[in-house]
Amino acid sequence: MRPLILAAPTALLLALAACAPTTGANSYANELRQLSDSCEARGGILVPTGQQSGRPQNDNVCRITGGASRLTSGG
């Protein structure tokens, strides 16, 4: 009976460790930050698409907010 009592806390810790989140949230946040920085460098802002795929590239779109730079004014 005593070994069972000593093993219970270890089993509980292993079970809790299995349920603990991995670095997925940090990875998503890092990718989202890089995507946002890239979008802002192009003169846009990151806008959510409404999807929740777990990939920032699918869940957001870069909306360009600056004026059209390729167009020239008359002449």
Side-chain angles (χ1 to χ4, degrees):
M1 183 72 175
R2 185 174 176 146
L4 182 62
I5 293 172
L6 294 175
T10 303
L12 181 61
L13 287 175
L14 287 175
L16 289 174
C19 295
T22 60
T23 59
N26 288 336
S27 176
Y28 185 91
N30 289 338
E31 288 182 36
L32 183 61
R33 188 176 329 113
Q34 290 173 352
L35 189 63
S36 179
D37 291 345
S38 171
C39 181
E40 288 176 10
R42 293 181 287 156
I45 90 169
L46 213 53
V47 178
T49 62
Q51 294 182 3
Q52 292 183 343
S53 68
R55 297 189 65 216
Q57 301 86 346
N58 294 344
D59 300 343
N60 301 280
V61 65
C62 181
R63 181 170 294 156
I64 305 299
T65 56
S69 61
R70 291 189 228 168
L71 299 177
T72 59
S73 56

